[in-house]
Amino acid sequence: MERTSQDSSSRVGRVVNIGTARLENLYRRVTKDQPESPRSLHVKSILAMQNGRHDEAAQLVGQAALLDPADADHQRQLGMTCFEAGWLEPAATALNRAIYLNPSDPEPWFTLGQVFDAASNKDHARTCYEQCLALNPRFHDARIAMAEMELG
């Protein structure tokens, strides 16, 4: 049976809806008794980002970071959200905070490398990717980024 583009599109739509439904389920569990807690705002931010609403996502996770400034996860999420939106300077600031709060987490090192790479600062990007790999030698995306930098 031949698939039409309509079939593919509707299948993709169902997959996205299933993913969103799972996130919404998680959101309900996390926010059950505290809809404005830092964790609740963080989860709302992830949902907004998944739906391409970067302004809303940054605002929500920014509020979470203000309420709980010692939480590296909020800073990392803010940095990732800003990077996805193309806001490189605020992304770098938030990711540096995440690294300061939890220097052994390879994820913000990797994303900071992406920020530097997008800003054409290859030396800083390489340093971040190397640090990411020093923390987790199996961090596949960092290996790919390093290989792409070598290829030029």
Side-chain angles (χ1 to χ4, degrees):
M1 177 178 197
E2 186 176 317
R3 286 187 182 160
T4 65
S5 60
Q6 183 178 7
D7 291 335
S8 298
S9 164
S10 64
R11 281 182 102 193
V12 169
R14 282 195 305 266
V15 170
V16 170
N17 289 339
I18 289 170
T20 302
R22 287 183 183 149
L23 284 174
E24 287 172 346
N25 234 355
L26 173 63
Y27 166 73
R28 277 190 221 95
R29 284 194 309 247
V30 169
T31 64
K32 184 177 178 185
D33 297 322
Q34 302 171 349
E36 298 305 316
S37 74
R39 260 310 138 198
S40 298
L41 293 167
H42 188 117
V43 173
K44 285 181 189 178
S45 170
I46 292 170
L47 288 168
M49 191 168 143
Q50 291 288 325
N51 289 300
R53 299 186 318 267
H54 295 100
D55 289 341
E56 180 184 349
Q59 183 180 22
L60 289 165
V61 77
Q63 288 175 327
L66 284 173
L67 291 170
D68 190 2
D71 189 313
D73 291 341
H74 302 321
Q75 297 296 334
R76 184 182 66 234
Q77 182 65 29
L78 180 58
M80 291 171 61
T81 300
C82 290
F83 174 68
E84 290 291 323
W87 309 323
L88 301 183
E89 191 172 328
T93 299
L95 292 164
N96 274 308
R97 280 191 212 120
I99 290 167
Y100 175 79
L101 292 168
N102 185 5
S104 63
D105 182 0
E107 189 69 38
W109 283 105
F110 173 72
T111 308
L112 186 58
Q114 290 181 300
V115 170
F116 283 127
D117 203 7
S120 298
N121 189 333
K122 304 300 181 191
D123 290 337
H124 281 75
R126 183 182 327 280
T127 299
C128 291
Y129 295 144
E130 288 170 350
Q131 182 61 32
C132 175
L133 289 169
L135 293 168
N136 180 357
R138 296 181 180 183
F139 202 108
H140 183 69
D141 290 340
R143 289 192 176 285
I144 291 171
M146 291 287 290
E148 287 175 349
M149 288 180 80
E150 295 299 321
L151 294 174

